[in-house]
Structures are given as C-alpha cells and as structure tokens.
Amino acid sequence: MRVRPISTDVLVEELADLLTSRESDSYLRVAFDGAPATGPGALGDALVGPLRARGRPAMRIDAADFLRPASLRLEFGRNDPDSYYQGWFDEAGLAREVLDPAGPGGSGRVLARLWDATADRAVRESYAELPAGAILLVSGPLLLGGGLAFDVTVHLEMSAAALLRRTPAEDAWTLPAFGRYAEEVGPASLADVVLRVDDPRRPAMVLERS
C-alpha cells in the first residue's frame, strides 16, 4: 500500500478544494463512510466552514438519524452484528428524503433527520429547501455498495487491530459487521478517496494498493 501522510488541516482544505471544483449550479451528494471509530462525522463537520468560505452552502446529514424502528432493528437482539450490518439503517428513507431530492431533477427539498432512535419515533422536523450549489455531507457506516446515490465518496479505514483498540467495549459487538463489510463490499475499492486513519490525528491518503 502506498500512502501520503497528511495533516488534518491540509486534508480538510484539499477535500474542500476537491468538492468545490465540481459543478456549482447543481447539488453535490458526498458520503463520508466509515465505522464510528474512524470519525466520518467529525470530518464532515470540519468541512462545513471551509466549504461555506468558498461560497458553497453545506448541510450535514448523519446516518444515525436515519435508523429503522427498534422493532425492526432489534428483532434479533440488541447486539446482533448481522442485524446491524443488514437492517439497522433506513437506506430507503435516506434515499427518499435526502439523496433523491438532491439528485438530477430532484426537488431540492430534503429532510435532515428522519428518526429519533432514543424516542423511537419519527422526528418532527420541517423540510429544508437546498440553495443552489449546496453540498450535502452525509456521514455514517456501511454507506457504500448498497445502491445509495452519491456523487463523491470518501472512505475512512482502519486496520482490524486499530478498529478493535479504538472501538468502545460496549460497541465491540459491531466489529464483525465491519469485517463483513470490508470483505463482501470492499468499500476502499469503490470510494473516490480513501483515508487511512489508524491514528485519527495522523491521517494518510491511500494512493495505491499493492
């Protein structure tokens, strides 16, 4: 594997340049895909300011706000990795409420949050009208390979050892799901940008795999 070490600040600036180089009169749907320990949400958050400074409106979307109801998610128990892999996230809802409206010919009317997992009910939130040229920054795990429509994809990866070390003990039951994802989907082979974040303070951009 050939990588280029890069500081977090430079990484954010380079990604902001990459995203704003795309067509500015249409919406841009960007995925930040990775296990929670890799920090996909933090990277998405860090890009909001630089994108706006470059004249592009930005909206953050978290896949954790698009979960399926508990009766479906937890049908086989609270700690079932197969359910987490295949049935926790409401991909249809994310497509319907966010990605399709921001796609070609879409209405530009999106719902930033669909489901409140704590209350286990739909979120009472109004739809937002995307301004022209808006960039949607969607973060979460298991986003690639399932047919979700993104224009740019960024995958954050860790070695199995680093993922085990950096995942809280109470969430270790999810690790087999990420193993399946890496083996069955191969997200690093699908993403436009791959970042190695074994130490999130010292990311590296993957340039080539051996």
Side-chain angles (χ1 to χ4, degrees):
M1 181 187 299
R2 190 162 64 93
V3 301
R4 175 167 66 94
I6 187 171
S7 72
T8 301
D9 289 343
V10 172
L11 171 62
V12 168
E13 292 301 315
E14 287 191 6
L15 287 175
D17 287 341
L18 170 67
L19 298 180
T20 54
S21 70
R22 302 291 291 264
E23 189 66 44
S24 61
D25 59 357
S26 60
Y27 310 126
L28 191 68
R29 302 163 296 181
V30 185
F32 294 92
D33 171 67
T38 67
L43 183 55
D45 289 340
L47 275 159
V48 172
L51 290 174
R52 290 175 177 169
R54 288 164 170 79
R56 296 293 293 272
M59 175 182 284
R60 281 283 291 115
I61 303 290
D62 195 318
D65 294 319
F66 288 81
L67 297 182
R68 302 174 77 199
S71 60
L72 300 176
R73 288 198 321 275
L74 310 180
E75 182 179 2
F76 298 102
R78 292 185 175 274
N79 299 323
D80 181 65
D82 291 330
S83 295
Y84 181 80
Y85 181 59
Q86 296 178 314
W88 267 51
F89 296 94
D90 185 358
E91 294 181 347
L94 182 60
R96 182 183 67 249
E97 304 293 356
V98 178
L99 300 177
D100 291 348
S107 66
R109 186 170 178 265
V110 303
L111 190 66
R113 299 173 63 231
L114 180 62
W115 196 259
D116 182 338
T118 301
D120 197 34
R121 62 172 175 78
V123 174
R124 296 192 179 98
E125 186 161 317
S126 300
Y127 284 85
E129 299 287 344
L130 293 175
I135 297 178
L136 291 174
L137 307 169
V138 182
S139 65
L142 313 173
L143 291 177
L144 306 184
L148 292 174
F150 292 105
D151 304 301
V152 179
T153 54
V154 180
H155 175 64
L156 293 84
E157 66 175 11
M158 283 181 171
S159 67
L163 189 58
L164 174 61
R165 186 170 63 250
R166 294 186 177 277
T167 298
E170 62 269 22
D171 296 327
W173 63 272
T174 63
L175 295 177
F178 295 117
R180 281 188 63 185
Y181 183 54
E183 182 177 344
E184 296 177 9
V185 175
S189 68
L190 302 176
D192 299 303
V193 178
V194 179
L195 303 173
R196 189 75 172 189
V197 290
D198 285 0
D199 182 345
R201 299 167 300 177
R202 298 178 177 85
M205 191 170 291
V206 177
L207 303 177
E208 183 180 358
R209 291 185 177 274
S210 55

